[in-house]
Structure formats: structure tokens, C-alpha cells
């Protein structure tokens, strides 16, 4: 979470411990897992995110497409996945956000160079 | 293994000489204003400088690894490594690397070979240490990500394709492959096409971790030996050196003929001499005697008076040259040629006849001295260039040798070679199993057995 970095390490640590207790239940309550999606499948598109998508391995990209197709199908039929097929907390990892952070870092570096 | 801290560029203008560490310093030699000095750090890293009063310097980081050390799932990694060089690492991005080099100013390049991989930078004399620091950071912190390797695949494909479309390079790669039966020295420096999509970042990282562990530092031009050694100590003093012991090279010989719609490019090769072999000098003279030239290259250095060129005169071949490739424990000696249309068999037979001549008759004193002069000139002229000199010095330090010879010292070895030595060596070399590779109109070419028989 970007704002944690700005808050400062001491209060950031406090906030992190507080948030970590609600993170899992929050993601569960969001309901995207019922459609078989991971959190990073739902990120808003912006230039950084689209560049990061190009850096996904072909396997991760294929898995992403399949999850999205499945979600569209379920949504159309008004169904949800059975409990045992829904992604667990262990499966719902941040596969895209680290790449987006990298892309953003590189872009900022390039822009800093251009500014001189 | 990887140095995790690198000083910022501004902090490294010129290091304080630190003499606390145990360091052995070897013979100094001076020739024509260049002083050659070799030192060995306490952990075994070799540092060599060829200092002269010039405004520019070349700094190089050489690793004694290459395509020879590939096997199994690492086959073809060297070609990928060449394309990954300076593409950014864990600690420094590609953009920042390019920018920092540009601001020094310095240029940088990478060269890969069968037994050595070189990372070089050319810089002005007052920026040697920032350049060395940058170079080291770019090389040792390499830990490529999945997408970095995937993005370079197109480039690697292009490199491999360029080789397959250049018959001369292709013939040399084939000659190695057949001579060493596709292992070790037989591995191509260019990634085979069927391997390109199979190599991922884990293979590259594993190769780097296990192979990049015995650096040789070379600096030529406007550098001071002591300061350079101090800088090397700072960067590599804490490394544990693990000299790679490759599997012993086994020359076997073989043949390969590839039909193609081009003028026939062929190579006849034999087991040559290793870099440290006692036959090295005589073999170099033998190569000079054979010489070679191209019909497109008139004038000085065209080689039109050499034995090989005269042998294929009468329009048998448009280009012919003798080659002498030397590795740490083996070598490849032979003749490369491009025959004219319809004259393939005659060109090969003319070359073989010339080789047979050298086995049966000793050369005249005049021809011998001319060949020695030719060799001297070539080596000395070649090493006028700082980057060639750098490669020349690093190549000498591949084995157990701890001090380098200057080019002048190096060529002195041929003075004692006699005509009888050359003849005996020719007999020995040309009786070893030949390697015969050809690309072009190959249907009428002689077989390996007939080549072997004609040289007995």
C-alpha cells in the first residue's frame, strides 16, 4: 500500500499490523473470489498496468485470461463457483502489482533523466 | 558472491592505494613506452595492466567461461548472455546504466567466446575507476527476470540467423562441432535455434552464479598499475575464486557437408596446439608459411605471394586462408577456402597437395624468415589496438600462467623455430584425423578417408 510508505516506518508498521488483520476478511467479503478471480485481475487499466501486462510470463497471462473468461461466463449465468474451487488466500497473490511498481519506478527514472 | 554495495560514481574518482593485502607482483616488461605488469590478489584474481602515456584507457572484465562450459539445459546460454549484457540488473536499470556510461563519457561492449567472456569499457584516463565500478556493477549483479530474457529472444534469433546466412562463420562453427563432436569446444558460440525458446532466466542466473567466479581484470592505456590493483582489490578482494575445470578437450575429427546454392565454402582442419603448448611457435610459423589471400584484396597484406594463394591460382578459389585457433588445452589448425563454381574438388585437392608438400619438404631459409617476419608483423600490428591488446593479454591468463608477455616478448618465441621443426610439426599435424566441412556444391567433394589417405 503506497500510503504506508509515506506515513513513515514506525506508524507504517503499526498500520500494517492493524490492516493485516482485516485484509483477508475484506478480500473474502469483496466477493470476486466467488467468480474465481484474483485481486490483480481487477486492477484498473492505466499505461503502467498495460506495460506490466507485457511483462507477465505467458503462463500467467494464459491463467489470467482463463480466469476472466470463467468469471464472465459465471456472471452471465448468475452463478458462482462451488466453495472448493474458489481461490484461497494462498492462491490469491499479487502477481501484477509488483510488476506495475517496477514499471512505474522505471518510468519515473526516465522522466527524471529527461528533466535533467 | 555478488558484491552488494557499490559506491556512487562521484565517490570513486581515484582510490587511495591500499597495500594491506598480500599481493604478488610479477615480472614487469616495457616496450615502446608501454609497461606490462601483472599482479595477483590474495584470493587469486589476476590483474594486468599495459600502461602507456595515453589519454584514453580500456578497462576489461574477463571471465574464463564461455560456450565450452555449456551442457544439458544450459546449452546456448552464451548467446543469450551476450544479448543480456548491460540490459539492467537488480541494482541498476538499463536506462540508468546507459546514462551513467554516457555521462562519464565511456563506451561499453561485450564479447563472448568459447572460453572467455569479456566486458569492456573505453574511457578517458581520469575516469577509469568510475567506469570500472559501473562495469562491475553491470556484470556481477546480473539476475535477469523472466521477461528480460523473453524480450531478448528475438535478438538472439537474429544473431543465430546472421551466422547461418554468413557461410564463413558457419563453416568455422561446423568445423568446431565436427572436430570436437558437439561437446565442449564443439559447442557453438551462437545459440542454436532450437534452444532459443528453451532458455529462461533461471538457466542464465544459474550459469552466471556457477561460472562467473574467476575474473581477470585488464586495463590498457592511461592507467596506473597500483591504483588499478587497489580498485580491483576493493571490488573483488572478497570473492572466493573457483577456477573452472572444464572437461578435457577431445579432438576427434569428422566431416559434414551441407548442400546449398552458394560457392562452396570449405574447411580442412587438424588438431592444432594449445596456447601453452611447446608447438605453438612452430605452428604459428607454419600458418604464416601457408598464408592465404582473397582475390578481392590486392596490394599489401593481400597474401597473393603466399603458398596457399599460389596453389589455388588458376581460378580455383576466390579466397583461401590458413587458420590457427588455440584454446587452453587444444587447438584447431587448418585451411579455409571458397572455391569457384565448378572447381570445388580441384580447389580442395590443390590445398591438400600444398599441405602434403610441407610435410615432405623442408621450407627454404628465405621462406622461413619471411614467414617469421609476417607473423611478427601481424601480432604486433594487431596489438596496436587497445581492445585487441586487452583480449591478447586476457587470453594469456586463462591457464595457470601468472604473468603476461608483451606482444614483443610473445613473438620472440618464433625466432628459434627451424625449418626442420616446421616440417616435423607439419608431418605430425597433417597425419592426425582430419576434419572436413563444406557448405555449397558438395556432391563431388572428396570423403574424409580419401583426404586422410592423400596426406599419409
Amino acid at each position: 500500500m503506497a500510503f504506508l510508505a509515506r506515513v513513515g516506518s514506525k506508524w507504517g508498521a503499526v498500520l500494517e499490523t492493524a490492516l493485516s488483520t482485516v485484509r483477508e476478511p475484506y478480500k473474502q467479503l469483496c466477493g470476486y473470489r466467488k467468480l474465481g478471480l484474483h485481486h490483480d485481475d481487477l486492477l484498473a487499466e492505466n499505461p503502467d498496468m498495460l506495460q506490466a501486462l507485457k511483462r507477465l510470463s505467458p503462463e500467467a497471462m494464459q491463467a489470467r485470461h482463463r480466469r476472466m473468461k470463467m468469471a464472465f461466463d459465471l456472471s452471465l449465468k448468475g452463478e458462482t463457483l462451488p466453495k472448493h474451487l474458489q481461490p484461497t488466500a494462498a492462491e490469491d497473490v499479487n502477481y501484477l502489482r509488483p510488476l506495475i511498481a517496477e514499471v512505474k519506478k522505471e518510468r519515473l527514472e526516465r522522466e527524471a533523466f529527461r528533466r535533467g | 558472491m555478488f558484491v552488494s554495495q557499490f559506491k556512487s560514481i562521484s565517490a570513486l574518482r581515484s582510490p587511495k592505494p591500499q597495500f594491506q593485502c598480500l599481493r604478488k607482483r610479477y615480472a614487469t616488461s616495457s616496450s615502446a613506452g608501454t609497461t606490462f605488469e601483472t599482479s595477483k590478489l590474495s584470493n587469486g584474481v589476476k590483474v594486468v595492466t599495459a600502461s602507456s602515456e595515453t589519454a584514453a584507457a580500456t578497462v576489461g572484465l574477463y571471465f574464463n567461461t564461455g560456450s565450452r562450459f555449456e551442457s544439458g539445459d544450459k546449452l546456448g546460454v552464451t548467446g543469450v548472455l551476450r544479448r543480456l549484457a548491460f540490459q539492467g540488473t537488480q541494482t541498476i536499470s538499463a536506462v540508468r546504466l546507459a546514462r551513467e556510461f554516457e555521462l562519464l563519457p565511456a563506451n561499453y561492449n561485450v564479447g563472448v567466446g568459447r572460453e572467455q567472456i569479456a566486458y569492456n569499457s573505453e574511457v578517458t584516463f581520469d575516469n577509469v575507476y568510475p567506469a570500472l565500478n559501473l562495469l562491475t556493477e553491470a556484470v556481477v549483479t546480473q539476475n535477469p527476470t523472466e521477461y528480460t530474457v523473453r524480450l531478448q529472444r528475438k535478438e538472439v534469433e537474429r544473431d543465430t540467423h546472421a551466422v547461418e546466412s554468413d557461410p564463413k562463420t558457419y563453416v568455422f562453427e561446423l568445423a568446431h562441432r565436427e572436430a570436437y563432436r558437439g561437446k565442449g569446444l564443439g559447442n557453438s558460440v551462437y545459440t542454436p535455434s532450437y534452444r532459443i525458446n528453451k532458455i529462461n532466466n533461471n538457466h542464465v542466473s544459474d550459469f552466471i552464479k556457477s561460472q562467473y567466479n574467476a575474473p581477470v581484470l585488464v586495463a590498457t592505456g592511461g592507467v596506473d598499475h597500483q591504483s588499478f590493483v587497489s580498485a580491483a582489490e576493493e571490488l573483488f578482494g572478497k570473492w572466493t575464486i573457483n577456477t573452472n575445470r572444464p572437461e578435457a578437450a577431445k579432438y576427434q575429427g569428422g566431416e559434414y557437408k551441407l548442400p546449398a546454392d552458394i560457392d562452396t565454402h570449405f574447411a580442412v582442419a587438424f588438431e592444432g596446439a594449445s596456447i601453452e603448448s611447446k608447438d605453438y611457435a612452430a605452428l604459428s610459423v607454419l600458418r604464416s608459411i601457408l598464408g592465404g589471400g582473397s582475390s578481392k584484396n590486392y596490394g599489401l597484406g593481400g597474401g597473393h605471394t603466399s603458398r596457399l594463394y599460389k596453389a589455388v591460382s588458376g581460378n580455383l578459389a576466390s579466397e583461401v586462408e590458413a587458420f590457427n585457433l588455440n584454446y587452453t588445452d587444444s587447438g584447431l589448425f587448418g585451411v579455409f577456402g571458397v572455391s569457384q563454381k565448378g572447381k570445388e574438388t580441384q580447389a580442395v585437392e590443390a590445398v591438400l597437395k600444398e599441405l602434403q608438400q610441407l610435410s615432405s619438404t623442408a621450407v627454404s631459409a628465405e621462406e622461413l624468415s619471411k614467414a617469421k617476419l609476417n607473423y611478427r608483423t601481424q601480432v604486433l600490428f594487431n596489438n596496436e589496438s587497445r581492445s585487441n591488446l586487452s583480449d591478447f593479454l586476457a587470453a594469456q591468463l586463462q591457464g595457470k600462467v601468472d604473468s603476461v608477455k608483451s606482444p614483443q616478448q610473445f613473438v620472440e618465441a618464433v625466432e628459434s623455430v627451424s625449418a626442420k621443426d616446421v616440417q616435423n610439426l607439419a608431418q605430425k599435424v597433417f597425419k592426425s584425423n582430419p576434419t572436413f566441412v563444406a557448405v555449397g556444391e558438395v556432391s563431388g567433394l572428396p570423403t574424409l578417408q580419401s583426404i586422410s589417405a592423400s596426406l599419409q
Side-chain angles (χ1 to χ4, degrees), chain B residues 355-416:
Chain B
L355 299 180
Q356 178 60 32
Q357 277 266 53
L358 280 168
S359 299
S360 57
T361 354
V363 298
S364 67
E366 187 193 329
E367 197 170 358
L368 186 69
S369 66
K370 184 172 140 220
K372 286 183 186 175
L373 186 62
N374 200 300
Y375 173 69
R376 281 181 67 96
T377 317
Q378 269 199 338
V379 173
L380 295 178
F381 206 76
N382 215 24
N383 288 316
E384 288 282 304
S385 143
R386 265 197 323 275
S387 51
N388 285 350
L389 179 62
S390 200
D391 293 343
F392 174 76
L393 296 173
Q396 287 182 49
L397 291 173
Q398 276 177 351
K400 302 190 187 65
V401 172
D402 276 339
S403 69
V404 292
K405 293 198 181 119
S406 70
Q408 280 89 339
Q409 281 179 321
F410 196 81
V411 299
E412 276 163 24
V414 300
E415 293 310 314
S416 55

Side-chain angles (χ1 to χ4, degrees), chain B residues 143-187:
Chain B
N143 196 9
T145 52
E146 188 270 332
Y147 61 83
T148 317
V149 175
R150 188 161 38 96
L151 286 173
Q152 291 303 321
R153 280 190 187 146
K154 265 246 153 356
E155 298 300 317
V156 178
E157 252 177 60
R158 212 174 285 175
D159 289 339
T160 304
H161 183 69
V163 170
E164 283 161 13
S165 356
D166 172 22
K168 182 167 179 177
T169 321
Y170 197 31
V171 162
F172 275 96
E173 294 300 309
L174 287 174
H176 281 88
R177 196 186 77 189
E178 293 309 317
Y180 297 100
R181 294 293 167 87
K183 265 173 59 173
L185 283 171
N187 288 337

Side-chain angles (χ1 to χ4, degrees), chain B residues 233-401:
Chain B
E233 179 71 45
E234 214 171 301
L235 289 169
F236 296 100
K238 296 195 182 59
W239 278 38
T240 9
I241 299 306
N242 198 1
T243 36
N244 299 316
R245 291 266 165 266
E247 204 180 297
K250 206 168 157 224
Y251 174 92
Q252 298 191 60
E255 69 178 322
Y256 187 79
K257 293 171 185 151
L258 182 67
D261 190 13
I262 51 170
D263 282 344
T264 309
H265 292 63
F266 66 88
V268 182
F270 306 87
E271 186 167 18
S274 69
I275 295 173
E276 289 170 18
S277 155
K278 59 175 169 51
D279 290 334
Y280 183 91
L283 205 59
S284 306
V285 177
L286 182 59
R287 196 224 76 86
S288 284
I289 292 172
L290 281 167
S294 155
S295 63
K296 305 178 192 87
N297 196 6
Y298 289 97
L300 230 57
H304 283 217
T305 54
S306 63
R307 278 207 178 208
L308 272 180
Y309 195 79
K310 287 199 271 199
V312 299
S313 66
N315 237 13
L316 293 181
S318 60
E319 186 183 334
V320 66
E321 90 176 84
F323 59 86
N324 179 19
L325 304 168
N326 314 92
Y327 302 105
T328 50
D329 59 354
S330 181
L332 215 58
F333 182 91
V335 178
F336 165 82
V338 183
S339 70
Q340 299 277 30
K341 264 211 171 11
K343 307 269 176 62
E344 301 84 28
T345 322
Q346 291 156 282
V348 174
E349 282 170 1
V351 167
L352 293 173
K353 186 148 155 262
E354 204 52 53
L355 299 180
Q356 178 60 32
Q357 277 266 53
L358 280 168
S359 299
S360 57
T361 354
V363 298
S364 67
E366 187 193 329
E367 197 170 358
L368 186 69
S369 66
K370 184 172 140 220
K372 286 183 186 175
L373 186 62
N374 200 300
Y375 173 69
R376 281 181 67 96
T377 317
Q378 269 199 338
V379 173
L380 295 178
F381 206 76
N382 215 24
N383 288 316
E384 288 282 304
S385 143
R386 265 197 323 275
S387 51
N388 285 350
L389 179 62
S390 200
D391 293 343
F392 174 76
L393 296 173
Q396 287 182 49
L397 291 173
Q398 276 177 351
K400 302 190 187 65
V401 172

Side-chain angles (χ1 to χ4, degrees), chain B residues 119-254:
Chain B
Y119 297 88
N120 282 304
S121 173
E122 274 195 284
V123 67
T124 49
F125 73 95
D126 51 352
N127 274 329
V128 168
Y129 303 104
L132 177 65
N133 197 52
L134 206 51
L135 195 67
T136 310
E137 185 172 4
V139 171
V140 307
T141 54
Q142 275 183 99
N143 196 9
T145 52
E146 188 270 332
Y147 61 83
T148 317
V149 175
R150 188 161 38 96
L151 286 173
Q152 291 303 321
R153 280 190 187 146
K154 265 246 153 356
E155 298 300 317
V156 178
E157 252 177 60
R158 212 174 285 175
D159 289 339
T160 304
H161 183 69
V163 170
E164 283 161 13
S165 356
D166 172 22
K168 182 167 179 177
T169 321
Y170 197 31
V171 162
F172 275 96
E173 294 300 309
L174 287 174
H176 281 88
R177 196 186 77 189
E178 293 309 317
Y180 297 100
R181 294 293 167 87
K183 265 173 59 173
L185 283 171
N187 288 337
S188 173
V189 174
Y190 305 92
T191 309
S193 5
Y194 73 94
R195 289 288 312 161
I196 293 173
N197 288 335
K198 294 199 167 72
I199 294 175
N200 62 33
N201 60 318
N202 292 324
H203 297 138
V204 179
S205 295
D206 287 343
F207 192 82
I208 291 174
K209 280 199 187 73
S210 62
Q211 297 287 327
Y212 279 29
N213 49 27
V216 174
L217 278 94
V218 185
T220 48
V223 279
D224 164 59
H225 185 77
Q226 279 312 323
S227 312
F228 192 69
V229 174
S230 311
E233 179 71 45
E234 214 171 301
L235 289 169
F236 296 100
K238 296 195 182 59
W239 278 38
T240 9
I241 299 306
N242 198 1
T243 36
N244 299 316
R245 291 266 165 266
E247 204 180 297
K250 206 168 157 224
Y251 174 92
Q252 298 191 60

